[in-house]
Amino acid sequence: MTRYTRRAAFVAALTALAAALGGCGAISDQALRTSLHALAVRVSSTTATTTSGAPPRCDPTASLKPSSPPAAPGHMPAGSFMRAIQRRGYLIAGVNESYLLFSFFDPSSGKIEGFEIDLLHQIAKAIFGTWHNKIEFEEVTVPQRLPFVQQGKVDIVADAVTMTCARWRNVDFSSTYYDGGVRVMVPASSNARQLSDLAHQRVCATTGSVPLEMIARSPYKLIPYGVPQGIYCLVALEQGKVAGIVSDDSLLIGSAMQVHNVKILPFSVADAPYGMAISKNHPGFVRFVNAVLERTRRDGTWASIYHRWLGPYSSGPTPPPPKPHYS
Amino acid sequence: LSLDLSSTPVRLRALGVVLACAAIVAAVVMVSAIDSRDSAARAVATRSGRLMVQAERLYAVLSDADAAADATLMTSGIASRERYLAAIQTASARIGVLTRATSGASRAGAAVSAVAAALPLYNGWVETATSNYSQGFPLGAAYYVWGASGVMRGQLLPAAQRLYAIEAENLAGDYRSGTSAGAVVAFAVFGVLLFVVFAAAQVLLARWMHRVFNVPMVIGTAVVLAVVTLGLVGVITEQDALGSAQRDGSDSVQLLSAARILALREQGDESLALIASGSGTQYLADFAAVSRDLGSVHGSGLLGGAWTLAKRSGSTAGIERISDDFSRYDTIHAHLLADEQAGQWQNADVLAVGPNAPEAVRADNLNTELVQQINAAQSRFSRHAASASSALAGFGLAIPLLIAAGTLLGLAGLRQRIKEYR
């Protein structure tokens, strides 16, 4: 063996040793990579959305003439939608559970209560003779509520829906049951006196609602901030994410009950007539509901329901019921 | 200075100097090679491995606090309220431990401080939500979903998850330096070179002095050979133990920890979707995405990976139980989803909320089973990691001492010969 082959053999032996050492107890990052990759899963969250296109012109409060008088309870006309509801045994109503004073879930009684709920009770009573256990409440969100009516998932929606001409294209509305106004809520410390003082700031409203569209269209360059439920606006306001909330006064009154350090600016940005949304397939039901509403207006039921829920929070005496318009 | 290398005593003295220098250089390189292996193995056993599990537990207790806060709001339960308070207390304690264990300047330290800063914020939102809810204000739920849960999912859980990822990567780094080929090659090369120098000295001595063996030199050479052999055996043992710690232990810990984090996230998604009653579609989308990442036992994803690992280390029974729990949970989730889509929120609540609700029971089983499997993998990891870190214990001292002893013996052998010329 020459010196060179010996040296080569030595180097080879060292290399083999290193390879053997490297091979045993080899480390792989596979589990680490798999686990970190799995943890990186992310889903994009929802953000503010607005709609576009000019709304058609019409009288949004004009509903169908009432059937007068409504059929006797428990004896709905054959073939009518009311008869189908009577046969089913209960009315399916889409409502919101967190709309203080109008429709909200009271954890102490375990029931949904409020101004709108009492009006729905009147409709159920007109169909069945009693409203006890005759309504199945479906919680709906603002983006869901009109599609649910169109798809027949609910018979009627009473959820502070402002009647607009754009919405009339998709659903029918009852006559006005509440004359609301769109108003602005800001922190008590805010210097804002009018909507233009909020220029270039984020202003919150419910996604898919009229106020959000107003924010987006306003000439004051407000930045729309959409949330899935109106009540989230309050949290956003308190977190300082938005400078103000534009919403119906009915919702703002309920909101002001729950938080301090806020104020409602003393003017309406727009009218907000509320109607109950009903499918375009059931004009007979619209007329029936209008007849029931007409009765509540005339016999003082509307006033007592208003007094029960909104009386303590409205300034001045109970207003007269909203005047119905029929086309 | 001139050396007269024709004179044998001068040559002997020069050989002694070469021997001593070679020994010093070799000792320095070999000790630092052993030391880098040893400290990495020790870091695996006592630091990164533990911190990774601590981070996972922090994530879990935060999720638990959130689940309890959610249950308190949805059922007004006192038991849930107590569970919430206990979870917040545990979370604070864990943050304290992690703050002491991480340096404030490091990325891990920053993640811990992010959790520490956001926890009181979260707690504030939950308290506001609870007091609102107990007064019957629907705003309570909104506070929870947008305030508390926003902080939990936007700040607390991401920071805890970041901490977990950092510690998992630190562990991988420690594994790499604990098994680095560079260190072992340096050790072997310098050890063998030192041995060659000793052997050459012996050969030269034999040539110059016409005597075959110089006994102290032979013993010195043997000591050097023993040091090299011992060191290599130690390094191989350490490396083998680290490999087992990873394959049988921490790999499973990582996959199962990630599975637990995702399972808790699914459960959070479910509660938020319920409490948001219909406006929580993003939570349901998150649930679906998380569920895909979890995968299944015989497929891909975390569960598939965990099953493969479990099969390698013996028993797959535990993982299969976990997988069963997952699919039972998913079945209930499907019912719930159907109820939610039909607007039957109260039916959905009955399935999901409260201590005896079917989905809550399944989630509890699943969490318990995951914790058991993680703990089992963690104890396998600890056992191997401990033997890895003890494999080289004392080597940092023994190697230089033995090399010094061998060198002194060699020098003593040379001195005997030099004396003969006086």
Side-chain angles (χ1 to χ4, degrees):
Chain A
M1 215 191 258
T2 68
R3 178 175 295 198
Y4 289 107
T5 52
R6 221 182 294 156
R7 197 175 292 162
F10 174 65
V11 171
L14 266 187
T15 317
L17 176 69
L21 285 172
C24 96
I27 290 302
S28 128
D29 276 358
Q30 166 111 49
L32 176 73
R33 296 289 144 234
T34 311
S35 57
L36 293 188
H37 175 78
L39 287 178
V41 57
R42 195 162 290 156
V43 169
S44 61
S45 57
T46 51
T47 46
T49 52
T50 54
T51 50
S52 56
R57 297 196 157 271
C58 72
D59 175 6
T61 58
S63 184
L64 309 179
K65 275 204 184 73
S67 53
S68 58
H75 298 91
M76 293 298 114
S80 71
F81 184 55
M82 290 78 81
R83 182 63 171 256
I85 295 171
Q86 186 192 325
R87 215 173 310 127
R88 188 205 292 143
Y90 53 90
L91 176 73
I92 305 176
V95 296
N96 192 320
E97 284 184 15
S98 55
Y99 197 0
L100 217 54
L101 302 180
F102 275 69
S103 67
F104 64 103
F105 181 77
D106 181 355
S108 59
S109 69
K111 284 184 182 141
I112 299 176
E113 299 179 345
F115 176 79
E116 286 168 337
I117 304 304
D118 279 0
L119 286 177
L120 287 169
H121 286 165
Q122 294 301 315
I123 294 166
K125 198 175 155 195
I127 299 173
F128 300 104
T130 172
W131 51 265
H132 281 288
N133 296 322
K134 290 298 181 194
I135 306 184
E136 185 178 293
F137 291 108
E138 287 264 348
E139 164 116 45
V140 293
T141 63
V142 172
Q144 283 173 344
R145 56 191 186 181
L146 297 186
F148 271 28
V149 170
Q150 287 174 281
Q151 294 156 17
K153 286 186 180 168
V154 295
D155 301 331
I156 189 167
V157 159
D159 181 28
V161 188
T162 303
M163 297 185 279
T164 65
C165 298
R167 287 175 174 162
W168 267 103
R169 285 194 295 199
N170 300 321
V171 294
D172 278 355
F173 284 102
S174 71
S175 58
T176 311
Y177 66 86
Y178 180 84
D179 249 335
V182 177
R183 294 172 74 169
V184 184
M185 182 187 255
V186 291
S189 59
S190 169
N191 294 325
R193 296 243 172 93
Q194 48 207 348
L195 206 52
S196 58
D197 293 338
L198 299 177
H200 303 292
Q201 302 191 57
R202 279 198 295 249
V203 180
C204 188
T206 317
T207 302
S209 70
V210 174
L212 191 70
E213 230 171 284
M214 288 173 40
I215 294 168
R217 288 171 194 284
S218 83
Y220 311 122
K221 305 207 172 6
L222 308 178
I223 305 167
Y225 187 88
V227 294
Q229 286 186 27
I231 199 132
Y232 293 159
C233 279
L234 267 188
V235 182
L237 188 71
E238 216 166 88
Q239 284 178 326
K241 284 184 180 162
V242 297
I245 302 172
V246 177
S247 186
D248 296 356
D249 53 4
S250 56
L251 181 57
L252 292 181
I253 292 166
S255 300
M257 282 173 61
Q258 301 173 62
V259 291
H260 310 288
N261 304 325
V262 292
K263 60 183 179 193
I264 301 172
L265 298 183
F267 59 88
S268 285
V269 182
D271 293 336
Y274 292 171
M276 300 188 188
I278 295 167
S279 166
K280 281 202 172 297
N281 297 332
H282 307 308
F285 187 45
V286 177
R287 291 177 199 283
F288 177 82
V289 168
N290 281 347
V292 174
L293 288 176
E294 194 71 31
R295 195 166 62 196
T296 65
R297 284 187 199 101
R298 242 182 278 133
D299 67 7
T301 312
W302 187 93
S304 65
I305 293 175
Y306 183 96
H307 182 72
R308 179 179 175 201
W309 293 106
L310 301 168
Y313 303 100
S314 62
S315 48
T318 299
K323 231 173 124 64
H325 293 205
Y326 302 113
S327 53
Chain B
L1 187 80
S2 68
L3 283 176
D4 177 9
L5 287 175
S6 60
S7 146
T8 307
V10 172
R11 279 191 289 183
L12 286 173
R13 285 211 179 87
L15 187 58
V17 171
V18 169
L19 212 61
C21 289
I24 289 169
V25 171
V28 167
V29 172
M30 289 162 75
V31 166
S32 68
I34 287 283
D35 189 55
S36 81
R37 282 291 191 104
D38 187 35
S39 56
R42 230 182 284 242
V44 166
T46 60
R47 219 188 124 65
S48 46
R50 248 177 231 176
L51 284 179
M52 183 182 83
V53 171
Q54 289 273 4
E56 183 262 336
R57 289 192 183 144
L58 177 65
Y59 189 104
V61 78
L62 289 174
S63 295
D64 193 41
D66 205 35
D70 168 52
T72 311
L73 286 184
M74 295 193 64
T75 62
S76 318
I78 291 169
S80 310
R81 175 80 184 147
E82 277 167 0
R83 203 178 107 213
Y84 169 76
L85 293 174
I88 288 292
Q89 216 162 35
T90 313
S92 306
R94 287 203 197 293
I95 291 170
V97 170
L98 282 161
T99 308
R100 283 190 292 279
T102 53
S103 132
S106 66
R107 286 197 307 138
V112 176
S113 351
V115 175
L119 191 64
L121 209 63
Y122 170 78
N123 191 38
W125 279 113
V126 170
E127 294 304 333
T128 318
T130 312
S131 74
N132 263 282
Y133 204 73
S134 61
Q135 291 173 58
F137 290 159
L139 183 63
Y143 268 125
Y144 174 70
V145 173
W146 265 56
S149 195
V151 174
M152 177 58 75
R153 297 170 75 93
Q155 298 175 37
L156 283 169
L157 294 181
Q161 188 174 313
R162 206 156 59 237
L163 179 68
Y164 172 81
I166 291 167
E167 292 305 343
E169 270 166 359
N170 285 349
L171 177 64
D174 287 338
Y175 273 136
R176 270 194 296 279
S177 37
T179 56
S180 78
V184 73
V185 167
F187 182 89
V189 166
F190 277 78
V192 170
L193 283 179
L194 185 61
F195 171 74
V196 168
V197 169
F198 267 77
Q202 174 65 49
V203 169
L204 287 175
L205 263 187
R207 251 188 232 162
W208 296 337
M209 308 312 291
H210 310 291
R211 268 183 255 173
V212 179
F213 290 115
N214 175 305
V215 175
M217 183 65 83
V218 169
I219 298 174
T221 311
V223 168
V224 168
L225 188 63
V227 168
V228 176
T229 316
L230 199 71
L232 284 177
V233 168
V235 166
I236 291 170
T237 314
E238 172 255 7
Q239 178 162 336
D240 187 52
L242 271 192
S244 311
Q246 191 195 29
R247 279 191 311 274
D248 296 347
S250 66
D251 273 358
S252 299
V253 173
Q254 284 178 350
L255 290 179
L256 292 170
S257 295
R260 180 157 186 239
I261 287 175
L262 292 185
L264 290 167
R265 181 161 148 185
E266 271 192 347
Q267 289 154 25
D269 284 336
E270 189 85 294
S271 316
L272 281 171
L274 277 175
I275 209 165
S277 323
S279 54
T281 45
Q282 75 270 33
Y283 305 123
L284 295 175
D286 191 66
F287 188 107
V290 166
S291 185
R292 268 196 302 281
D293 264 13
L294 280 166
S296 66
V297 166
H298 299 293
S300 57
L302 290 174
L303 291 178
W307 189 82
T308 313
L309 284 181
K311 195 168 175 226
R312 206 160 60 194
S313 62
S315 164
T316 55
I319 301 297
E320 274 156 10
R321 275 199 300 278
I322 289 175
S323 174
D324 279 353
D325 285 336
F326 262 117
S327 55
R328 290 208 189 107
Y329 182 84
D330 278 349
T331 311
I332 301 177
H333 171 69
H335 284 295
L336 220 135
L337 206 60
D339 280 339
E340 283 171 11
Q341 272 157 3
Q344 305 284 336
W345 293 98
Q346 303 203 326
N347 288 1
D349 285 355
V350 168
L351 276 177
V353 186
N356 295 319
E359 191 174 49
V361 170
R362 281 295 148 223
D364 276 353
N365 281 358
L366 178 58
N367 293 342
T368 312
E369 192 68 55
L370 275 166
V371 170
Q372 270 173 12
Q373 294 297 320
I374 291 173
N375 287 346
Q378 179 67 8
S379 71
R380 288 197 301 273
F381 162 80
S382 299
R383 207 171 54 240
H384 291 303
S387 65
S389 74
S390 66
L392 296 174
F395 276 46
L397 195 62
I399 286 173
L401 283 181
L402 284 173
I403 291 179
T407 313
L408 287 177
L409 281 167
L411 292 177
L414 288 174
R415 196 158 168 246
Q416 281 180 356
R417 297 295 163 266
I418 292 168
K419 266 192 198 157
E420 289 169 6
Y421 288 86
R422 287 205 177 139

